[in-house]
Amino acid sequence: MKNKRRNHSAAFKAKVALEAVKEEKTIAELAGLYQVHPSQITKWKKQLLEMLPDIFFTRGQYGQKEQDELTAQLYQQIGQLKVELDWLKKRSGLDV
């Protein structure tokens, strides 16, 4: 019989990761307490620590980062479309 994959809520993951960051108990103790594999707890802890600085961004800073990424993607797409258009014009003989 196959084991059913368990899906943990974001709140549960945050709780376990926060306890791992506190280091009051070892990862092995937390794994036994919450019935989760130690490597999973380590992964959640790492993810929490990586995302922690983003919490303190102001809305303007966070929105600006997303806006800059979107702008870069759009400029890349414009460049690609311009190259394709030039190629099609040259190929069709409409390059006047």
Side-chain angles (χ1 to χ4, degrees), residues 34-79:
Y34 291 108
Q35 303 287 315
V36 178
H37 197 275
S39 65
Q40 188 66 60
I41 295 174
T42 304
K43 181 180 176 184
W44 292 341
K45 178 182 173 183
K46 181 181 177 187
Q47 191 174 14
L48 174 70
L49 292 174
E50 287 175 353
M51 297 179 76
L52 204 52
D54 292 339
I55 293 172
F56 297 105
F57 269 119
T58 62
R59 288 184 185 189
Q61 290 172 328
Y62 187 70
Q64 185 62 40
K65 180 181 175 185
E66 290 178 344
Q67 185 68 32
D68 291 344
E69 290 174 1
L70 178 61
T71 302
Q73 288 176 350
L74 291 174
Y75 276 124
Q76 182 181 4
Q77 189 175 15
I78 289 170

Side-chain angles (χ1 to χ4, degrees), residues 19-32:
E19 285 198 36
V21 169
K22 289 180 186 177
E23 295 183 350
E24 293 174 353
K25 296 180 182 177
T26 65
I27 299 291
E29 289 173 336
L30 292 173

Side-chain angles (χ1 to χ4, degrees), residues 7 18 29 64 72 79-80 83:
N7 292 322
L18 191 56
E29 289 173 336
Q64 185 62 40
Q80 181 180 352
V83 168

